[in-house]
Amino acid sequence: QAESHKLLSDNLVWLSSVDLAIYLRKFRKSDGTPSVEAIRQLVYRGKLKPRKLGRSLYFKRAEVDRAMELGII
């Protein structure tokens, strides 16, 4: 399941919180599902800048890649 999500996220410019959790390999230890809470913590700490569309948060993949290159996340 995670492999199919990974292939999907490779082509996206914008990632949802779930897609970003899979992209960053943030999974819950209890059941192995993507950890949206880990993504919310990164936002709360100011490490990622989300865009809000309706009730959902979206992240620009290029900005996430840049933050990883700089060691921010």
Side-chain angles (χ1 to χ4, degrees):
Q1 178 185 13
E3 184 65 27
S4 64
H5 284 293
K6 183 183 181 318
L7 293 174
L8 176 65
S9 68
D10 284 344
N11 296 321
L12 297 177
V13 174
W14 292 94
L15 301 171
S16 68
S17 295
V18 172
D19 292 333
L20 183 58
I22 293 166
Y23 186 66
L24 295 177
R25 297 182 183 137
K26 301 281 186 184
F27 297 98
R28 293 184 191 150
K29 291 181 182 178
S30 61
D31 58 3
T33 60
S35 178
V36 176
E37 183 59 33
I39 303 306
R40 289 187 180 145
Q41 286 295 322
L42 290 171
V43 171
Y44 177 74
R45 293 178 182 151
K47 308 238 183 221
L48 289 174
K49 181 183 176 188
R51 282 19 175 249
K52 195 165 186 179
L53 180 62
R55 296 179 61 194
S56 301
L57 297 179
Y58 291 90
F59 304 86
K60 199 165 191 175
R61 189 172 146 209
E63 291 177 0
V64 172
D65 290 340
R66 181 79 174 139
M68 286 192 301
E69 287 173 7
L70 295 174
I72 296 171
I73 55 172

